[in-house]
Amino acid sequence: MAATAPSSAYPFGIPFHSHSRRVDCSTSTSMFPIHADLSTISMCPRSASKGLVDQVYAQLDNDDYYREKVPTPILDMVENPLCLKNLSLQELKQLAVEIRSDLSSIMSGTQISPKASMAVVELTVAIHHVFNAPVDKILWDVGDQTYAHKILTGRRSLMTTMRRKNGLSGVTSRFESEYDAFGAGHGCSSISAGLGMAVARDIKGRRERVIAVISNWTTMAGQAYEAMSNAGYLDSNMVVILNDSRHSLLPKIEEGPKTFVNALSSTLSKLQSSKSFRRFREAAKGVTKRIGRGMHELAAKVDEYARGMMGPLGSTLFEELGLYYIGPVDGHNIEDLICVLQEVASLDSMGPVLVHVITDENQGDENSQKSDISDGQQDEGSVKSDSLDNPVRPQTYGNCFVETLVVEAEKDKDIVVVHAGLTMEPSLELFQEKFPDRFFDVGMAEQHAVTFASGLACGGLKPFCVIASSFLQRAYDQVVHDVDQQRIPVRFVITSAGLVGSDGPLQCGAFDINFMSCLPNMIVMAPSDEVELMHMVATATRINSQPICFRYPRGALVGRGYTISDGIPIKIGRGRVLVEGKDVAFLGYGSMVQNCLKAHSLLAKLGIEVTVADARFCKPLDIKLLRQLCKHHSFLVTVEEGSIGGFGSQVAQFIAVNGLLDGRIQWRPIVLPDRYIEHASPNEQLDQAGLSGHHIAATALSLLGRTREALLFMCS
């Protein structure tokens, strides 16, 4: 069958095949055919995403991938989104079923929860059916929701490599595929980036469409509203799709009102999105403007009231921000989704539009009871300690911190916790259960969390502000102006510090040492093990004159067979020597002290005795300890799991200003390299970064002139 002429409503000249089966959309005047039979699928070029082959080369476990899989005949024929253009409504529905089955099969053997992506399967199918990626720009706010998108954009065979070394990223990545218009970072960025792309398109005179998919989790962040307000002001054409999975921070969400999609709301959504209705509305606005300002304002009030009556609670908020609201739409009804999106795509001069889509994360997922593990929390403590009397050691630093804080909170009624982030660490549930009135989870509102904690401190409480390192970056202005400049005693607990394994550069906590230690009033410390962590919790509790912070990494604890006990406050700026040696001194900061001890053991086998010291504090430094190390050693090596400009730079500043570098001491820093470390296992990342015990030992051997042995250590 010959291809039809390109639709004038669609500017890219993509030919589609027309068949008899059509979606019944009575309000639609769109010229997008959404039907075809499978015989025309051969039009799809069989090639992977641009740049994908060069970027991803992890070894595939094909036997594991294909074992006991449910047949997926339609999905097997989809090489890229263009193939969806020729599928009928029934075939699209079947494709959604097959994608959901494929996701369940792929993720069943991993620690990655597919629930967020399961919820948007039909929405993803509808988006790629209606719009023309990669010409049209599709931006996702949250990486967890993009797995179906990856499958449909040429990466299905590589899904088993996700979050593995040299494998697929767990989020969208511009370096991975041309279909990923923007990297999905920490959420709330898609509207801002999408608006920038839309304005650039207008200035350049192009006609591609921009679609930003946001989650109701990310609407807790202020940037989303800043972007929507600016989008309403600039009035550039773009589509914002709000994926509402009905999550809320409210503890009794089941008692609150929920947005339901019935036949009436479905019909109203189609009417709202129809070309004729929108043109009539715009024409009416023009008439009232010509009549006079008073009539125009009255008509606007009537329009707002009427649309508020049609939409759910809160829908007029988006109208006030300048976005044309459509919804709610059933996110699992492909027919409704296609009808609405086709109408939204068919008009070239409507400004920003928000489509409110209701989804369910448990849709079609038999394994939905599997506990959620979301971006930023895959390796955090998932085993909660039910009792402080349990003699078994906590499994993660997060568990140890929370259990120690509970001990302190039972003695000090002023201790409160403020948590910010996409998902709460499971370990924090213990504190929340014991002290529900002293625990505040503000969601993705890090800026608010910092200033809120500052206000709590001003009111006489002792707030512990718990935020992951990479998320704290978003609130740095508040850390500076609302806390440090005013010397307000907020206690910052920086989680997920350093390398984070499968989350790669997205959640990597590489910069907190730098940006916290440069603040004049901030005390900056890091524990080398769980005992030191307990001491630092106790130390932070007793600091009431200035802000203080400490960081800890993901992963298992160092020690075994101990119980939680009262921490002993550490004297501010006091480090400690763990092992006495000569010639070379390792001065470790935080978790890297353990790798310094590993390097000491390796060198001891070669008859080399080195000193290992635990700095504890990055600011203020233990000046007495530094002077001793410089006096009694020829070489000083600082080791930290942070970027250039952190702990090592603080040490270098002191020893240079005080003339210690003018004598016999030579200083070498070991830090994270000046690049982003991609996702891999924690040990693989440490090797890539040059922070393993072998790399530290090799540095000492090189300083001692034993280059050959150093090379052997580097290669081992």
Side-chain angles (χ1 to χ4, degrees):
M1 179 178 292
T4 62
S7 167
S8 60
Y10 206 70
F12 309 109
I14 301 296
F16 299 109
H17 294 275
S18 179
H19 296 274
S20 59
R21 289 175 292 184
R22 293 183 180 273
V23 177
D24 182 14
C25 182
S26 58
T27 62
S28 172
T29 57
S30 171
M31 299 180 66
F32 283 71
I34 54 173
H35 49 274
D37 62 29
L38 291 174
S39 63
T40 61
I41 290 295
S42 59
M43 69 182 286
C44 301
R46 295 184 173 274
S47 61
S49 299
K50 181 180 179 181
L52 181 62
V53 175
D54 294 333
Q55 296 293 331
V56 180
Y57 48 94
Q59 184 176 357
L60 298 177
D61 189 350
N62 290 326
D63 292 337
D64 184 61
Y65 178 74
Y66 287 106
R67 73 175 188 273
E68 298 181 3
K69 283 189 60 181
V70 176
T72 53
I74 297 179
L75 181 58
D76 292 343
M77 301 181 72
V78 175
E79 296 290 333
N80 58 49
L82 190 59
C83 301
L84 273 64
K85 306 295 184 183
N86 280 358
L87 297 183
S88 68
L89 174 62
Q90 191 58 41
E91 289 163 344
L92 290 171
K93 290 180 178 178
Q94 180 59 33
L95 176 63
V97 172
E98 293 180 7
I99 292 174
R100 192 168 275 113
S101 172
D102 208 50
L103 274 175
S104 181
S105 176
I106 293 169
M107 302 301 175
S108 61
T110 71
Q111 293 298 309
I112 304 172
S113 172
K115 291 178 66 174
S117 285
M118 291 282 199
V120 295
V121 167
E122 288 84 3
L123 177 60
T124 306
V125 169
I127 289 173
H128 279 296
H129 176 79
V130 172
F131 297 100
N132 183 42
V135 179
D136 288 340
K137 308 305 179 185
I138 302 172
L139 295 83
W140 300 83
D141 233 24
V142 180
D144 278 359
Q145 298 179 358
T146 63
Y147 303 155
H149 165 78
K150 287 176 179 282
I151 287 176
L152 291 175
T153 52
R155 288 168 276 184
R156 182 191 180 196
S157 63
L158 298 169
M159 290 296 289
T160 54
T161 71
M162 192 159 60
R163 298 181 182 271
R164 285 166 43 188
K165 183 180 180 181
N166 299 325
L168 290 180
S169 171
V171 298
T172 54
S173 170
R174 287 165 53 86
F175 305 107
E176 185 177 285
S177 171
E178 62 180 342
Y179 291 98
D180 294 350
F182 197 77
H186 296 154
C188 80
S189 62
S190 64
I191 304 178
S192 298
L195 179 60
M197 293 179 187
V199 171
R201 170 204 62 202
D202 297 341
I203 293 175
K204 292 282 190 179
R206 300 192 302 265
R207 298 185 63 192
E208 72 264 22
R209 297 180 179 89
V210 178
I211 306 94
V213 184
I214 67 171
S215 161
N216 56 312
W217 277 114
T218 58
T219 56
M220 289 182 256
Q223 183 182 348
Y225 297 98
E226 294 169 7
M228 283 189 276
S229 177
N230 193 217
Y233 174 76
L234 295 175
D235 205 36
S236 289
N237 288 348
M238 69 177 296
V239 180
V240 177
I241 300 176
L242 171 58
N243 169 37
D244 184 357
S245 54
R246 307 181 188 183
H247 281 304
S248 174
L249 290 177
L250 298 176
K252 297 181 179 179
I253 184 63
E254 68 278 3
E255 298 177 9
K258 291 185 179 180
T259 302
F260 293 99
V261 182
N262 52 31
L264 176 60
S265 60
S266 176
T267 301
L268 290 175
S269 296
K270 292 178 184 178
L271 174 63
Q272 288 173 310
S273 64
S274 68
K275 189 184 302 182
S276 56
F277 178 83
R278 288 180 292 166
R279 283 177 173 167
F280 171 77
R281 185 171 179 257
E282 293 302 308
K285 285 183 180 180
V287 170
T288 57
K289 282 182 180 179
R290 287 193 294 271
I291 293 174
R293 179 177 177 181
M295 179 61 73
H296 177 66
E297 291 178 352
L298 175 62
K301 292 291 184 183
V302 172
D303 178 65
E304 178 183 339
Y305 178 77
R307 289 177 53 70
M309 293 289 290
M310 294 169 63
L313 290 174
S315 60
T316 55
L317 168 64
F318 302 109
E319 292 279 334
E320 289 291 334
L321 291 171
L323 280 73
Y324 182 84
Y325 175 88
I326 299 172
V329 182
D330 185 350
H332 302 294
N333 187 319
I334 288 185
E335 180 175 357
D336 285 356
L337 287 169
I338 289 174
C339 285
V340 170
L341 293 180
Q342 282 184 342
E343 291 294 350
V344 167
S346 66
L347 218 59
D348 291 330
S349 58
M350 269 305 298
V353 176
L354 184 135
V355 181
H356 183 187
V357 176
I358 305 296
T359 61
D360 180 5
E361 286 192 349
N362 295 325
Q363 180 77 12
D365 182 13
E366 294 85 3
N367 301 318
S368 62
Q369 300 304 315
K370 180 180 177 181
S371 55
D372 284 322
I373 305 176
S374 62
D375 270 352
Q377 304 299 340
Q378 276 81 4
D379 297 325
E380 293 291 341
S382 58
V383 180
K384 183 184 68 178
S385 178
D386 295 323
S387 171
L388 294 180
D389 297 325
N390 188 347
V392 180
R393 68 176 181 89
Q395 293 193 354
T396 68
Y397 280 93
N399 289 106
C400 179
F401 159 68
V402 173
E403 294 191 6
T404 304
L405 189 61
V406 167
V407 172
E408 294 289 339
E410 288 176 338
K411 298 182 296 183
D412 191 336
K413 305 303 182 184
D414 289 336
I415 291 177
V416 295
V417 169
V418 179
H419 173 264
L422 184 60
T423 303
M424 187 177 72
E425 295 182 31
S427 57
L428 285 171
E429 293 176 4
L430 176 62
F431 191 96
Q432 185 181 34
E433 291 170 1
K434 286 187 171 291
F435 311 106
D437 295 333
R438 294 156 64 184
F439 182 86
F440 306 93
D441 184 11
V442 302
M444 287 188 64
E446 294 84 4
Q447 293 171 309
H448 163 66
V450 171
T451 307
F452 174 55
S454 185
L456 291 171
C458 290
L461 297 178
K462 297 181 178 181
F464 280 76
C465 189
V466 184
I467 306 179
S469 173
S470 58
F471 283 83
L472 185 59
Q473 295 163 186
R474 294 148 64 113
Y476 190 58
D477 182 66
Q478 284 69 31
V479 173
V480 176
H481 292 281
D482 298 340
V483 177
D484 194 72
Q485 280 189 4
Q486 303 181 59
R487 292 184 67 96
I488 297 175
V490 174
R491 298 139 184 93
F492 291 99
V493 182
I494 304 172
T495 67
S496 296
L499 300 170
V500 290
S502 61
D503 276 328
L506 176 66
Q507 305 289 343
C508 180
F511 310 114
D512 60 272
I513 304 175
N514 309 42
F515 64 68
M516 296 303 271
S517 64
C518 69
L519 299 177
N521 296 319
M522 186 72 65
I523 297 173
V524 184
M525 53 186 180
S528 58
D529 56 31
E530 56 277 3
V531 176
E532 286 291 295
L533 177 56
M534 289 189 286
H535 296 335
M536 289 185 181
V537 172
T539 304
T541 301
R542 289 157 178 80
I543 296 296
N544 296 304
S545 59
Q546 65 189 106
I548 186 170
C549 70
F550 57 89
R551 68 182 335 232
Y552 60 77
R554 292 187 183 180
L557 295 172
V558 178
R560 295 178 179 274
Y562 82 99
T563 57
I564 295 293
S565 60
D566 290 347
I568 302 173
I570 304 169
K571 185 176 180 180
I572 300 300
R574 178 64 58 86
R576 58 178 183 154
V577 175
L578 302 179
V579 181
E580 291 276 6
K582 58 182 180 180
D583 294 329
V584 179
F586 292 143
L587 180 58
Y589 182 66
S591 61
M592 285 298 100
V593 172
Q594 301 304 320
N595 285 11
C596 290
L597 291 171
K598 292 177 183 177
H600 168 269
S601 299
L602 293 170
L603 293 170
K605 296 176 181 178
L606 300 178
I608 301 173
E609 297 180 359
V610 298
T611 295
V612 178
D614 177 4
R616 283 177 167 167
F617 292 87
C618 177
K619 188 174 185 178
L621 292 169
D622 188 336
I623 296 174
K624 182 179 179 181
L625 174 62
L626 274 173
R627 291 186 185 278
Q628 289 178 345
L629 294 177
C630 292
K631 180 179 180 180
H632 298 293
H633 301 82
S634 300
F635 306 101
L636 174 65
V637 180
T638 57
V639 188
E640 63 187 297
E641 196 173 356
S643 64
I644 299 169
F647 169 69
S649 295
Q650 293 282 335
V651 172
Q653 174 75 10
F654 172 77
I655 61 178
V657 169
N658 286 271
L660 298 178
L661 283 177
D662 301 339
R664 60 191 290 258
I665 190 71
Q666 296 183 43
W667 167 69
R668 295 291 185 273
I670 299 180
V671 299
L672 288 174
D674 193 22
R675 60 182 173 85
Y676 294 103
I677 306 296
E678 294 299 327
H679 49 274
S681 71
N683 287 335
E684 289 171 335
Q685 285 191 322
L686 285 173
D687 284 337
Q688 289 183 48
L691 287 172
S692 67
H694 282 78
H695 286 87
I696 297 170
T699 300
L701 289 169
S702 178
L703 289 171
L704 294 171
R706 301 171 68 163
T707 308
R708 186 172 182 274
E709 291 167 301
L711 289 173
L712 290 175
F713 268 73
M714 292 284 287
C715 297
S716 60

